[in-house]
Amino acid sequence: GIGLDTSRELVKRDLKNLVILDRIDNPAVIAELKAINPKVTVTFYPYDVTVPLAETTKLLKTIFAQLKTVDVLINGAGILDDHQIERTIAVNFTGLVNTTTAILDFWDKRKGGPGGVICNIGSVTGFNAIYQVPVYSASKAAVVSFTQSIAKLANVTGVTAFTVNPGITKITLVHKFNSWLDVETRVAEKLLEHPTQTTLACAQNFVKAIELNKNGAI
């Protein structure tokens, strides 16, 4: 979905490294990304954002030892299933907080770090809730609020942050999902009645936002 198309757009740029952390190991995708621009070193590490903070920090130690410097962290994991209340919050918000907290160990200028940039994937539901999926919507509102705080701490930590908040995008996520307490049986169908965008259009704008790199931007 959005993550893959964004990766395709990123490797077209003048990157040195792209590191992908995901639950799903897909060698064909990694090979495709390497082929797009052989000058970019693409690496994959298995990772689930719901693991405890200590595990995230351990993985980042491995990555920083390998690369020495990391400039940008993109928090892009997300699920849309209000039947899975705890997992929705864990993936969409808690995991994002943990990866941010963990990378601060390496970036925080108070610890001699170089600073860095955090790009968090929110959603338009963070401002205008889809009431049939209140858990998902609230998790995205939390992302926006948390990111605004990180941005305002940039003078303390040296770490800037912003959110990219896509509208309805044509991905598997929105084709079929469960509403909270089954309050709406046609929520996916109703959602897709609104204007949508492709994952490619979303990804291209996503990369533009990273290039603009405006602290606190929404």
Side-chain angles (χ1 to χ4, degrees):
I2 296 170
L4 176 55
D5 272 343
T6 300
S7 296
R8 287 175 176 137
E9 291 300 309
L10 284 169
V11 293
K12 294 175 186 176
R13 268 60 175 185
D14 186 25
L15 303 185
K16 188 174 181 181
N17 295 284
L18 176 66
V19 181
I20 296 172
L21 310 180
D22 202 336
R23 288 189 309 121
I24 301 166
D25 184 2
N26 191 332
V29 164
I30 301 301
E32 179 200 338
L33 293 173
K34 289 178 177 178
I36 291 172
N37 185 354
K39 292 180 181 178
V40 181
T41 301
V42 181
T43 50
F44 170 83
Y45 292 88
Y47 177 64
D48 185 330
V49 295
T50 64
V51 299
L53 175 60
E55 284 192 43
T56 302
T57 303
K58 183 179 177 182
L59 176 58
L60 288 180
K61 280 181 181 176
T62 300
I63 293 167
F64 273 81
Q66 183 75 29
L67 300 183
K68 308 306 178 196
T69 59
V70 175
D71 302 307
V72 182
L73 168 66
I74 300 170
N75 283 309
I79 62 168
L80 174 49
D81 184 349
D82 267 28
H83 282 189
Q84 299 187 67
I85 294 171
E86 292 183 0
R87 183 161 178 78
T88 294
I89 295 168
V91 172
N92 293 0
F93 183 57
T94 311
L96 176 147
V97 173
N98 282 349
T99 52
T100 300
T101 303
I103 209 164
L104 260 291
D105 270 353
F106 304 88
W107 277 354
D108 195 332
K109 69 180 185 181
R110 294 171 300 171
K111 299 181 179 181
V117 178
I118 295 173
C119 174
N120 288 333
I121 308 303
S123 165
V124 291
T125 63
F127 318 98
N128 185 13
I130 299 175
Y131 62 87
Q132 300 98 328
V133 283
V135 180
Y136 174 83
S137 299
S139 72
K140 290 301 185 178
V143 167
V144 174
S145 178
F146 177 74
T147 308
Q148 290 297 290
S149 296
I150 298 301
K152 289 174 181 174
L153 290 168
N155 62 328
V156 175
T157 63
V159 175
T160 59
F162 57 91
T163 56
V164 175
N165 300 282
I168 302 166
T169 308
K170 293 177 183 174
I171 53 176
T172 307
L173 197 71
V174 298
H175 290 164
K176 185 179 187 300
F177 56 89
N178 297 311
S179 67
W180 181 69
L181 302 181
D182 294 320
V183 293
E184 172 60 71
T185 57
R186 294 178 57 248
V187 62
E189 196 178 323
K190 285 186 172 182
L191 199 62
L192 291 171
E193 289 172 359
H194 294 280
T196 59
Q197 64 180 342
T198 64
T199 55
L200 176 59
C202 184
Q204 289 171 337
N205 284 311
F206 187 2
V207 174
K208 283 181 189 175
I210 295 171
E211 290 172 334
L212 286 169
N213 186 23
K214 185 179 177 185
N215 187 39
I218 298 173

